[in-house]
Amino acid sequence: MKKEWKHPFWDNAAKDRLTVRLNITHDDGSFSTTVAKVSKFDVDGKITSDYEEVIEQNTLQQIDTFTEERLERHRQEREANIKKQQERNEEKRLEDLFNAKLATFEIPEIKESTNRKLKAKIRKAKNQIEMQAYATILLMEIMNDPGESV
């Protein structure tokens, strides 16, 4: 049986525990792979044989490099996920704004209004507060018009 310890990285800052991909070639020629957790010390405080095998096949510098690469990869993934979430939030905000504008223009008084200037401001509003403010101004003008009955 042949053990190959591949791509080990430190699990903690104390550098006394590793995660490593273990490839095993069995005597019958079959092959298996697994992810193993390897502690530097056993319960008696002695260095474990698995840890020694890992160090024989990978230098401490290589392990540090694999660890740094992994941390950098995870940092980039987190940043990408944050950016995607921000994009989804912005899409949702714009969709909600669009739907609110549609609902606003379904109000009969606004739909039938001839005040093109305020209706254009409602359409061009960048957020719901701005859109609601212009809709309120338009409705107030309609209510204050002596010729209109609301």
Side-chain angles (χ1 to χ4, degrees), residues 128-140:
Q128 287 197 21
I129 303 296
E130 181 182 6
M131 186 265 317
Q132 290 171 351
Y134 289 130
T136 302
I137 292 168
L138 181 58
L139 290 172
M140 292 298 292

Side-chain angles (χ1 to χ4, degrees), residues 83-96:
K83 185 176 180 183
K84 285 179 187 176
Q85 184 62 43
Q86 289 171 337
E87 289 171 357
R88 283 192 294 266
N89 290 347
E90 180 63 8
E91 288 174 12
K92 172 101 173 82
R93 186 190 74 79
L94 291 174
E95 182 180 343
D96 289 347

Side-chain angles (χ1 to χ4, degrees), residues 97-112:
L97 178 60
F98 177 77
N99 290 333
K101 288 177 183 180
L102 287 178
T104 299
F105 279 101
E106 290 174 5
I107 298 171
E109 291 84 1
I110 293 177
K111 184 189 293 186
E112 296 165 5

Side-chain angles (χ1 to χ4, degrees), residues 13 28 30 36 50 55 57 59 77 101 108 110 114 117 123 125 132 134 139 143 146 149:
D28 63 1
S30 63
D50 284 345
I55 298 304
Q57 295 180 24
T59 66
E77 288 172 3
K101 288 177 183 180
I110 293 177
T114 58
K117 184 177 176 183
R123 280 188 202 92
Q132 290 171 351
Y134 289 130
L139 290 172
M143 289 175 64
S149 60

Side-chain angles (χ1 to χ4, degrees), residues 1-5 22-32 50 53 57:
M1 178 172 71
K2 179 183 172 192
K3 291 182 181 179
E4 289 182 285
W5 302 91
L22 173 59
N23 295 335
I24 301 173
T25 305
H26 300 278
D27 295 333
D28 63 1
S30 63
F31 181 81
S32 63
D50 284 345
E53 286 180 29
Q57 295 180 24

